[in-house]
Amino acid sequence: VVTTGVGAHGRAPGGKTYRLPTEADLAAYRAAEQALQAQREQLRAAWGMEPLPDEPTPEGKGSGAERAFSVRNYGLDTWSDLFNPRQALALLTFADAVRRAHAEMLTQGYPEDFARAVATYLGIAVDNLSEKDNFLSRWANTKETVAGSFGRQALPMLWDYVEINPLSDSTGGWAGATEYNLRIIDHLSHIPAVPGGERSHSETPPSPLVGEGGRGGEGVRVTHASATRLPYPDGFFDTILTDPPYYDNVPYSYLSDFFYVWLKRTVGHLYPDLFSTPLTPKAGEIVAYSQVEGGFEAGKRFFEEQLAAAFRESARVLKPGGAAVVVYAHKSTAGWETVINALLDSGLVTSAAWPLNTEMQSRLRANESAALASSIYIVVRKVPRQPTGFYNDVRQELQQHLNAKLQRLWEEGIGGADFFIAAIGSAIEVFGKYEKVMDYEGNIVRADRLLEEVRAIATNYAVRQILHNGFASEITPLARFYVLWRWNYGEALVPFDEANKLAHSCGLDLSLQFGKGGCIKKEKEFVRLLGPQARKLDDLDEPRDLIDVLHKSLLLWEKGQRAEMVKALAESGFGRSAAFYRVAQAISETLPLESKEKKLLDGFLAGRERVQQEVEKEGRQGKLWE
């Protein structure tokens, strides 16, 4: 139990005390269990529905939820299972208070739209409360406060959780939830009004959640509609900003169910058309995992077709010459293929694409994977497109355009996975201005072929830059792959498809690299690149590739077997190669300070001059060279 200490005259000393629960604490918990049953029966009769959310938590392979939800594995089969009895009682009490507040406002003569808007904000506050007051809330010991359930876009199982007092002023309580929403409302109320404010007959009426701008027109308008069927006339908007779903990255609708089930109980009766389904609708969601029947390929086709329809609808409602900004941050090639094809099919012309740093470096996924730090902002316009472009000409144009763009990206410090993704965004500027691109055989060139070209251009450029414009043509395909992997992904696991495409751009057949003792290891659908610390000397008896010789040298250096290290470098011939040491230095520069591999490389390179002298001597004595 955590309590805030109170000093003389009722002043808090600025700290917290911790103690074990007392018998009185346990008795209060048991009393809450009994009160919950009575509350459920009472509210079930009053609401005409089960008060506690008995809807099922996500399940099912291929649904998009299996990667983000592990709670089903531990018997948490319904959303109400995420709350202990005392938490559930508190949430039901607040939910009932929201419904009664709405009824009381109507009784006192408040306008219906006003009463519904206030109740909706209160319902959102209950959702804020539920996100902190459940089985999956963590104790953030560095700040001594509760951290909510969504540290990332997932609901993983948690072995220890914190239970808050919702009536206190501490983080996660009701006071904090309402204060947070009030700050948002205040912020949004300062958005300038739209001049005029006239509405076409084809538009939907403004939402009751919308406040008036106060300067002769409407301010923010909230519309519930599909992106593929917008309720606006042709040429209505000057600008559109959209952040479409990231392929199969995030199970948006399943995560929304956490909040949906409580909103349905607080304000669902005020919006019957929005809460008519047990959980959020899934069939029309534009994500690559939504089509379970037909597998992943069917989901990919659905995503591309529906995203193209959404982009075409955006083009319809844009004024001639109007601009739209599309934000995208998926790191897989498959995800980008679908977005590029959708943009090419939309009729919009890409005029610019730039990476903006939008992601928190300390977020959990950034520590566990090769996550992006940037999002690509693609600017498209409703302008006439050029006629058909032939691939050979467009390819030459693409080479010139990308070389200039990649130079600028490099100078601005864009690196790793962000560099390659930014290159893809820039390539759309060239391809997207043509109605279609064809080769001389009459085949339409689509995104897969474009990305293959972009990857080759970006790979060659990156290798030259990483090696400081030297030795790029002298190193082996495996060494190119290794350098780019460390620069691009660090030491993270990478999906096989992405690893295979990177290998292909380096002239390496990835399937031939798997085997005993190699530095490339396949782990189910992922690939890992092993550093020297993960390899064995026994597997490096007769190393032939630069990377294998480097790893053997590092392991021998670590063990203090200097003579054997010098001999291996001399016999392989790499010990005399400036490219060998440049590759070692380049790998070190891509790795974080805490990396074991970096420490080995830095220690080895610190004595480089002496090592080269010993290699020369060993070579002459062993008659390896004159």
Side-chain angles (χ1 to χ4, degrees):
V1 177
V2 183
T3 57
T4 301
V6 178
H9 309 294
R11 295 176 182 173
K16 295 182 176 70
T17 61
Y18 296 78
R19 63 173 174 80
L20 293 173
T22 64
E23 184 55 41
D25 295 324
L26 299 175
Y29 185 87
R30 289 191 291 269
E33 289 180 303
Q34 297 174 359
L36 174 63
Q37 298 308 314
Q39 181 85 320
R40 285 181 68 183
E41 294 176 9
Q42 177 186 344
L43 295 182
R44 189 182 294 116
W47 296 358
M49 64 183 301
E50 172 55 46
L52 283 180
D54 57 351
E55 295 86 351
T57 49
E59 66 174 331
K61 186 174 178 58
S63 67
E66 70 273 7
R67 290 180 304 169
F69 295 86
S70 60
V71 294
R72 272 261 170 180
N73 300 329
Y74 303 94
L76 305 180
D77 297 337
T78 70
W79 289 105
S80 63
D81 290 336
L82 302 185
F83 306 90
N84 72 33
R86 182 158 58 188
Q87 293 170 331
L89 176 63
L91 289 169
L92 284 186
T93 302
F94 279 108
D96 183 47
V98 171
R99 296 171 72 110
R100 288 189 289 108
H102 176 260
E104 181 64 22
M105 282 186 284
L106 294 180
T107 300
Q108 294 189 20
Y110 285 91
E112 184 174 341
D113 282 356
F114 178 87
R116 181 165 59 166
V118 172
T120 301
Y121 290 129
L122 292 173
I124 293 171
V126 173
D127 269 9
N128 296 145
L129 192 64
S130 69
E131 197 265 334
K132 297 287 193 300
D133 201 15
N134 62 72
F135 271 149
L136 306 178
S137 291
R138 296 174 291 110
W139 179 247
N141 55 10
T142 55
K143 297 186 294 184
E144 292 194 310
T145 186
V146 62
S149 309
F150 293 100
R152 57 190 177 99
Q153 298 101 334
L155 275 180
M157 187 56 184
L158 196 70
W159 306 116
D160 294 306
Y161 71 97
V162 57
E163 183 180 358
I164 62 172
N165 177 358
L167 299 177
S168 72
D169 292 332
S170 60
T171 302
W174 177 258
T178 52
E179 176 62 28
Y180 178 79
N181 290 332
L182 285 171
R183 289 201 305 270
I184 292 174
I185 296 168
D186 179 67
H187 175 73
L188 293 177
S189 68
H190 288 83
I191 296 177
V194 179
E198 297 85 0
R199 290 195 305 273
S200 164
H201 69 278
S202 64
E203 297 174 55
T204 56
S207 162
L209 298 185
V210 178
E212 290 299 320
R215 289 192 291 173
E218 293 177 12
V220 179
R221 182 185 304 177
V222 177
T223 302
H224 177 257
S226 169
T228 60
R229 293 182 300 278
L230 296 173
Y232 297 99
D234 296 353
F236 185 77
F237 292 104
D238 297 293
T239 307
I240 292 174
L241 174 62
T242 179
D243 190 352
Y246 295 162
Y247 198 52
D248 63 341
N249 255 18
V250 180
Y252 303 96
S253 58
Y254 294 96
L255 292 167
S256 299
D257 287 338
F258 180 97
F259 303 100
Y260 180 92
V261 294
W262 284 108
L263 279 175
K264 185 165 65 171
R265 284 156 174 81
T266 54
V267 296
H269 61 296
L270 305 181
Y271 303 95
D273 54 328
L274 300 183
F275 292 92
S276 59
T277 54
L279 293 167
T280 56
K282 308 290 191 297
E285 186 182 14
I286 305 178
V287 284
Y289 59 74
S290 60
Q291 305 300 302
V292 178
E293 190 173 328
F296 185 74
E297 284 303 315
K300 179 180 177 180
R301 285 194 304 272
F302 175 83
F303 179 80
E304 184 175 323
E305 292 166 358
Q306 293 302 301
L307 196 59
F311 288 154
R312 285 194 296 270
E313 186 70 348
S314 294
R316 181 186 68 79
V317 299
L318 263 180
K319 293 178 180 177
V325 179
V326 180
V327 183
Y328 201 68
H330 198 279
K331 68 173 182 284
S332 83
T333 305
W336 273 100
E337 282 182 9
T338 57
V339 170
I340 292 172
N341 284 335
L343 279 172
L344 294 177
D345 293 341
S346 70
L348 295 168
V349 177
T350 302
S351 60
W354 286 102
L356 293 181
N357 198 314
T358 57
E359 307 299 327
M360 292 175 59
Q361 297 300 311
S362 60
R363 73 197 193 282
L364 184 58
R365 277 187 51 77
N367 297 329
E368 295 178 343
S369 67
L372 298 173
S374 302
S375 297
I376 306 301
Y377 281 63
I378 305 169
V379 181
V380 295
R381 294 188 177 276
K382 187 176 181 178
V383 295
R385 304 171 85 175
Q386 296 183 25
T388 301
F390 287 96
Y391 185 59
N392 283 0
D393 299 329
V394 175
R395 183 181 180 186
Q396 187 175 7
E397 183 183 356
L398 180 66
Q399 177 86 46
Q400 295 171 348
H401 175 80
L402 271 187
N403 280 338
K405 195 66 172 278
L406 294 177
Q407 178 66 27
R408 183 168 175 184
L409 290 171
W410 191 274
E411 291 172 352
E412 293 186 358
I414 305 297
D418 296 287
F419 183 81
F420 285 95
I421 296 304
I424 292 171
S426 300
I428 313 174
E429 297 177 31
V430 175
F431 250 66
K433 65 185 180 183
Y434 296 98
E435 290 182 359
K436 57 184 175 181
V437 177
M438 296 178 60
D439 60 23
Y440 287 129
E441 296 177 355
N443 301 311
I444 303 294
V445 177
R446 299 291 282 172
D448 55 345
R449 202 160 158 192
L450 165 65
L451 289 178
E452 186 176 341
E453 191 70 36
V454 172
R455 195 180 301 107
I457 295 171
T459 294
N460 289 331
Y461 183 92
V463 170
R464 290 198 308 271
Q465 294 299 322
I466 295 168
L467 297 177
H468 300 299
N469 292 315
F471 316 112
S473 60
E474 299 179 30
I475 64 174
T476 64
L478 178 59
R480 287 171 65 88
F481 177 79
Y482 196 99
V483 167
L484 279 174
W485 181 296
R486 286 292 184 246
W487 179 73
N488 197 359
Y489 306 121
E491 297 172 316
L493 279 170
V494 174
F496 173 81
D497 184 57
E498 290 302 301
N500 193 39
K501 287 172 179 172
L502 179 63
H504 182 71
S505 70
C506 295
L508 189 71
D509 188 341
L510 196 61
S511 63
L512 299 180
Q513 302 301 313
F514 303 132
K516 183 179 179 181
C519 67
I520 304 175
K521 184 178 180 182
K522 192 170 186 294
E523 299 180 6
K524 296 183 179 179
E525 71 271 28
F526 295 96
V527 174
R528 186 186 298 279
L529 191 64
L530 301 180
Q533 70 277 11
R535 303 183 71 182
K536 299 178 180 178
L537 277 172
D538 292 344
D539 297 326
L540 295 165
D541 276 343
E542 298 180 359
R544 291 186 173 85
D545 192 272
L546 184 154
I547 293 299
D548 291 333
V549 172
L550 177 60
H551 282 183
K552 181 173 184 177
S553 300
L554 293 175
L555 290 175
L556 290 170
W557 176 86
E558 183 184 31
K559 294 178 181 293
Q561 299 177 15
R562 192 174 188 86
E564 290 85 346
M565 178 191 75
V566 170
K567 183 179 180 181
L569 286 169
E571 290 178 348
S572 67
F574 285 114
R576 301 180 74 199
S577 168
F580 175 81
Y581 298 99
R582 180 63 221 136
V583 167
Q585 183 64 44
I587 296 170
S588 171
E589 290 171 0
T590 66
L591 293 169
L593 293 175
E594 65 273 13
S595 167
K596 170 74 172 184
E597 182 174 359
K598 178 178 178 61
K599 292 175 181 177
L600 290 175
L601 285 163
D602 289 349
F604 169 74
L605 289 167
R608 168 184 170 177
E609 290 79 8
R610 183 182 170 192
V611 168
Q612 288 178 297
Q613 293 171 2
E614 292 176 9
V615 168
E616 285 287 344
K617 182 178 179 181
E618 174 71 23
R620 286 192 297 271
Q621 290 177 347
K623 305 295 185 181
L624 296 175
W625 52 75
E626 294 298 330

